[in-house]
Amino acid sequence: MLTRETIVNIVLAALLLAVPLAANASGQPFYVTIATRVAILALAATGLNLALGLGGLVSFGHAAFFGIGGYAAGILASHSFSGEPLLFGLSGTKQMPLIWVVAMLVAGLVGLLIGTISLRTSGVYFIMITLAFAQMVYYFAISWPAYGGEDGLSILVRNQFAGVNTMKPVSFFLICYVLLMLALGLFVLVRGSRFGSALQAARQNEVRVATVGIAPYRIRLTAFAISAAMTGLAGALYADLNRFVSPSMLSWHMSGELIVLIILGGTGRLFGPLAGAALFVIFEYLLGGLTERWQFFLGLILLATVLFARGGLLGLLAGKARHG
Amino acid sequence: MLLDVSKIEASYGASQALFGVDLAVAEGEAVALMGRNGMGKTTTIRAICNLNPPRAGSVRLAGTDLKGKPSHRVAKLGIGLVPEGRRCFPNLTVHENLVAAARPGAWTLDRVNVLFPRLAERHAQMARSLSGGEQQMLAIGRALMTNPRLLILDEATEGLAPVIRQAIWAAIRKLKAEGLSILVVDKTLSELLPVADRCVILENGRSVWQGPPAALTADLQDRYLGV
Amino acid sequence: MAEPVLELSDLVKNFGALRATDHVSIDLKPGEIHALIGPNGAGKSTLIHQICGTVRQDSGTIRFAGQDIGHLGVAERSRLGLGRTFQVSSLAPEFSALRNVMLAVQAQQGTSFGFFKPVMRDASLIDRSMAMLKRVGLQDRARLAAAELSHGERRQLEIAIALALNSKAFLLDEPMAGMGPEGSKSLTGFLDTLRQEAPILLVEHDMDAVFALADRISVLVYGRIIATGTVEEIRRDPAVRAAYLGDHA
Amino acid sequence: MTLALALEQLLNGLQLGVMLFLMAAGLTLIFGVMGLINLAHGSLYMVGAFACAAVASATGSFWIGLIASFACAAAAGAIVELLVIRRLYDRDHLDQVLATFALILIFSEGTRWLFGSFPLYLDIPRLLQGAVALPGGAQYPVYRLAIIAAGALVALGLYLLIGKTRLGMRIRAGESDREMIGALGVDIRTLYTVVFALGAALAGFAGAMVGALQSVQVGMGEPVLILAFVVIVIGGIGSIKGALLGALLVGVVDTMGRFLLPQVLALFVPPSQAGLIGGAAASMLIYVMMALILAVKPRGLFAAAHA
Amino acid sequence: MKKLISAATLALSMSVSGLAVAEPLKIGMITTLSGGGAGLGIDTRDGFMLAIKQAGNDEIEVITEDDGQKPELAVQIADKMVQSDQVDILTGIVWSNLLMAVAPSAVAQGKFYVSTNAAPAALAGENCNPLYFNAAYQNDNLHEAMGEYANKDYKKMFIMAPNYPAGKDSLTGFKRFYKGEVTSEVYTQVGQTDYAAEIAQIRASGADGVFAFLPGGMGIAFMKQYAQSGVKISIMGPGFSFSQDVLGAIGDAALGVKNSGHWAKDLDNEANKKFVEAFQAEYGRLPSIYAVQAYDAGQLIASAAAKADVKDTEAFRAELLKADIQSPRGKFKFNINQHPIQDIYVREVVKDGDVLTNKIIAPVFTDHEDAYAKDCKM
């Protein structure tokens, strides 16, 4: 039996596929780029949603993982371009799948590191510590000269994926779309798994989880690292979309925006990040076209969402969230 | 009637806890609110103070309907609460606990200190370092400093040593003698009944019996209150 | 005499100037129900927190199932078989009753790092959990969210969870609180059968239940055990009468 | 390195610390009393600076501007509290973060709307211009000394307010038991508005004081806000004492790190490299310090009982 | 609300004037119109539009978009302009990091990029490109000029810049020409607002001059704090730290500071007088160096458009290279790497009535070329 939410989700997924394909067919490749941006931001936010939505871990530092993923892509590509060896004689690469693996590994490892310290705390402490760690990575990226510092790092030609011309906007979009759908699938699996049970229970009642003999810390740390890796993957794709990485991917505004996506879409919902990303990009595009003050109105909309429409877009479309 | 509670219903979280409580306190009267654990005594008191506003029924204090009034307005209208668990402010000194929310009137710091000399001795001590009995005195003193017309004591002597309990009951008798209206909850009937003018018994969120202490037979005690 | 399952020796805990636990020594022997009573604020909660590991004692030892657990975390103590219910129900409110129990079963099976297999299609979890719900009489409420259960049902659910953990001892914190007389009566009967499974340390205000169930009673006042003994010994003890039971005991 | 230089850098660290304290005190007070995390605190700092610059340029007096900064930030704080913040007390931290994040966008763009994108001019008052001699031959700006003094006065004032007045007692009582203080007849909602406005006024005051030293521009509050977060996390959220200690620690460590790290590195690598690497390391130093402190004390140096 | 939207549409229609022309030359201007750096972008836009307006060529259409000083946004706008609007030329970016994000991929897609300000070394040497022109300078130029200028009176210099690539280029540029001793080379944090620690080091350094490259708010903060510090060592810097947009906020603390520039309001030539007058008449304020550079970029494009079709890339490029314009800077021609060869002056901040502004003292370089042109193989 299909619930209303499932129907809304299917419609959203279909729309995200149909709109850019139609735009491409009618010679409007720019809308394909916009849709790609939606897909990538949704992927990043889905990563965050794993920690935030399922685990209740309000990370205000996920830009760090997004940026690290981006830099992984940028650095590998630039070494491949220049031919200089990277580390321990390893060379760079322009192969997307390899770049993705590296991006996820590095982001996941950094997530593990940051999580190890920050998960010892909770509540506001956790919010602020993740924020501060992200700032640390941000300042490092700005002042470390090797990879462009504040100027960022260009990837002159988009990286490659076997058998696909990635420079064609619609091909690259499809790659991102497939990855997003895979990530959403993974999210569903994890949510229904033993691990997901423990993670969600730890959000609802930490003491209860500990009392049945599951250490919440390890569950959360694992979730945080997976979440970081997924957001890192999105970062690598974002780098390829823009053919450019810069420290602004690591800024705390980016962390804030990722949370905004989830809330706009609907906290804890599978398709919340996608709905939120679509809404956000459309706002940015429409409002940005109307007025240079678009951030002012974005602020108002966001405030209204938090105060009066807590379910976000999916809450409006599909009713209250149901829990298993 | 000073306090007139009529058919109130209230919920605690998702589940309903009160299903119709009637209770009244006349000027200068001491009323004992009784019942086993979990029968709704504390919820009734919270409902009166609008800490848990009742869903139905009415609470009137000296004729004023308390409906919709935030708890601080209720307090200002003349209810002084000594809550279950005392809830003194642990990070404030005894002196500060007494004056923080004080309102002008007959009760002053000096009079409270006369009533409870122990508090005067410990005026500079943090409330968290007081013993249970001293905390109870502080909670009563704190409520008196707001110069209430009606003093509500939830579990007036619970968990206190016998000696201290005698001191608390003595103070309550004194307050009653001065004409203060009192609504009191306590488990120790032998100490409570001599103080009360009237008793109200709750069972499963309803008021099931009212009457003078003399009418509270052993049979009734066994049925509603017995251990 | 059988070796105690749980043994607290000379436990001390201070909060600043306040001594919440004052050289407490009690034990729990196989097959018995040992009730812990005392006025509010006497330090029962602090004591339970120390047994479960949420509060660390200042000195003294806690031995459970033959080993010193005083330095272990909450989850580790649970894994050793310390089953606990809470004074105020502590459940995962959004999860169904069934899924709350399933969490305990999966913990008991020792694998919470499965990422792919859906729990709702895992017969090894569901069957055992349903069996536990049946034992406490909640099988018809299995699909309701814990938040939607009544107060008494949540208590029953907590016990089902403790059962699912194959506990070697139960630590029940005021299980009767907030139950109607009917509920108390049936729960009393249930606890009486539960003692076959594992001994129970029972913290309870409901004297009917305590006197009906307990093999031994300890009375805690101001952080100190003032008496330990059988029901009759405690009823007669003048210190206990003065401090706690009062004249009408 | 001479003694005079060391002394001067220590004063610099102290001054930065004092300024951070003004920000952190408000943040930590608001968290301690209302349990609210307020990202828009930096915006109130900005409001103070803009109010001071605008009023100072209209009236020609820095001092009137300073009063205006206090008043405007307090008013902005009170209005925001009444319209938005009080709906957030019962929400979880996520909602609070988001709503106050939205407020940052509104404040920043709103200010830009009103004042344009160019930085505003705000100069140090004549009375406090120039420098005084320090022992050891160096000189130190009078204005920075004034900031240190002002910060010390505010710290003292806060201590007296919180510790000695009825308002302070109620604030502390509200911290430990909000419902009870209400049940005793204190209007907790008004109290919260007052506390929020007070925190805002402190931030605005800091913004005005610092605005005269820096450029008054949109977004000026954000770097300070993040530093203030680091301060209160180190100090223990909700603790004014912790905020003071944390602020001084961050101020001194940051200043000394920026100054010493390149010099230490210069012993090992060429100066120009030392400058680069030292600079990079110095910018992360306080975060490393925070991580170390939290690894040992996860709730900061002076953890409040709850939080 | 209504008023707001109509104001916004007005702004929009202004920026897309000349919409109704058939088959025009399309220029995409990406610049910073919101956020902290908006002042620079607004001057860029206004200077550029002034040149286009003066050219009176109906066939030129300009589409303007705000990048918010965010590289990702700039890239997305560039994609949109190239893919959807099918512009022929991109221009307007203020910041090096945004330029590095946009320009290489734009020229790779066969579009012209004419820079109005940003001029990173990376695009001036080996990686120069036939389609990439810079109408402003090369990033190092103004720093080099101060290095040269410092040789005259200063034996020991304290040099300082933010810790990011442009800052490193700056100090490298300065040292390329400065022959004296560098006592310290300090890199500050990007966006830093308190310079007490650095000022203390300056005081203790024993240098007789300070060269500081601190653009925007950083420079404002530094100058105000320096003026209060009691340190009397004289300050110099590149022109951007003392351009018209920041002088007002620095206030009198900037008086007397020497800085380098390839233009000043009082530069004595006919084109400059006309430009300053026209700009003031059009916008009611003094132009900044960003406005001049954008004005020249506009002139360059218009001059080439008058003689060649932009679709004929080779011909259009040849016309651009001729630089057949009357620049307010005076002499202006392109080097082989398509960066300007121009004079660079030392200026001093003075008070003109109530307004602080720059006055030219003397030329430092004539026909100055950048250091990277020799690596450009075109």
Side-chain angles (χ1 to χ4, degrees), chain D residues 123-171:
Chain D
D123 206 2
I124 293 164
R126 201 160 302 254
L127 184 66
L128 299 176
Q129 286 196 345
V132 291
L134 286 184
Q139 285 185 305
Y140 200 73
V142 178
Y143 190 71
R144 286 184 188 272
L145 289 177
I147 291 182
I148 296 177
L153 277 178
V154 168
L156 182 70
L158 265 183
Y159 169 75
L160 292 176
L161 176 78
I162 304 284
K164 305 293 173 200
T165 64
R166 285 227 316 171
L167 178 66
M169 290 171 203
R170 290 176 173 187
I171 288 173

Side-chain angles (χ1 to χ4, degrees), chain A:
Chain A
M1 191 190 76
L2 291 179
T3 63
R4 187 152 149 217
E5 177 161 0
T6 313
I7 296 169
V8 170
N9 289 351
I10 292 171
V11 170
L12 273 176
L15 269 181
L16 180 62
L17 187 61
V19 168
L21 289 183
N24 189 54
S26 58
Q28 291 283 349
F30 174 62
Y31 292 100
V32 180
T33 305
I34 288 204
T36 314
R37 187 150 172 262
V38 170
I40 295 173
L41 287 178
L43 178 61
T46 301
L48 176 60
N49 203 20
L50 205 80
L52 192 152
L54 294 186
L57 306 171
V58 184
S59 164
F60 208 163
H62 256 54
F65 311 124
F66 192 62
I68 284 170
Y71 268 97
I75 290 172
L76 285 172
S78 81
H79 277 277
S80 159
F81 188 77
S82 68
E84 284 169 36
L86 186 60
L87 269 180
F88 318 117
L90 294 173
S91 60
T93 177
K94 296 220 54 135
Q95 292 307 316
M96 280 191 188
L98 194 57
I99 288 176
W100 297 338
V101 170
V102 173
M104 287 168 69
L105 270 181
V106 177
L109 279 176
V110 175
L112 210 57
L113 212 68
I114 292 179
T116 303
I117 293 181
S118 27
L119 285 168
R120 286 165 51 84
T121 67
S122 59
V124 183
Y125 281 92
F126 183 77
I127 296 175
M128 293 193 184
I129 287 159
T130 45
L131 168 65
F133 272 116
Q135 285 297 105
M136 192 162 136
V137 178
Y138 172 74
Y139 280 119
F140 181 79
I142 275 197
S143 40
W144 202 251
Y147 297 104
E150 165 106 341
D151 278 3
L153 188 59
S154 282
I155 305 169
L156 294 177
V157 182
R158 201 170 273 159
N159 292 307
Q160 296 149 10
F161 189 84
V164 180
N165 176 8
T166 54
M167 279 311 282
K168 268 178 66 183
V170 75
S171 317
F172 185 63
F173 165 77
L174 286 172
I175 292 176
C176 296
Y177 182 81
V178 168
L179 284 174
L180 172 66
M181 289 303 141
L182 285 176
L184 288 172
L186 182 72
F187 187 92
V188 172
L189 280 179
V190 168
R191 186 173 63 179
S193 72
R194 287 175 179 237
F195 176 77
S197 284
L199 181 62
Q200 292 169 80
R203 164 172 56 81
Q204 298 166 42
N205 189 341
E206 174 170 3
V207 179
R208 167 45 68 203
V209 176
T211 310
V212 299
I214 302 171
Y217 180 82
R218 286 173 55 201
I219 297 284
R220 286 180 174 153
L221 185 56
T222 312
F224 195 73
I226 297 175
S227 154
M230 205 183 268
T231 303
L233 172 65
L237 292 173
Y238 203 61
D240 256 330
L241 171 68
N242 296 332
R243 298 175 305 280
F244 176 73
V245 233
S246 85
S248 71
M249 276 176 82
L250 294 154
S251 78
W252 72 284
H253 281 275
M254 188 74 223
S255 297
E257 278 177 23
L258 288 179
I259 301 182
V260 166
L261 300 184
I262 293 180
I263 307 293
L264 272 183
T267 321
R269 316 288 279 250
L270 171 65
F271 269 62
L274 175 54
L279 209 55
F280 184 83
V281 171
I282 291 170
F283 275 153
E284 190 181 61
Y285 185 65
L286 287 184
L287 284 176
L290 280 179
T291 164
E292 282 155 16
R293 313 268 176 234
W294 70 275
Q295 294 219 349
F296 185 84
F297 298 101
L298 178 70
L300 287 180
I301 290 168
L302 191 53
L303 196 58
T305 308
V306 178
L307 292 182
F308 307 114
R310 298 178 71 185
L313 182 62
L314 284 181
L316 292 177
L317 293 177
K320 273 188 74 171
R322 279 165 43 97
H323 299 277

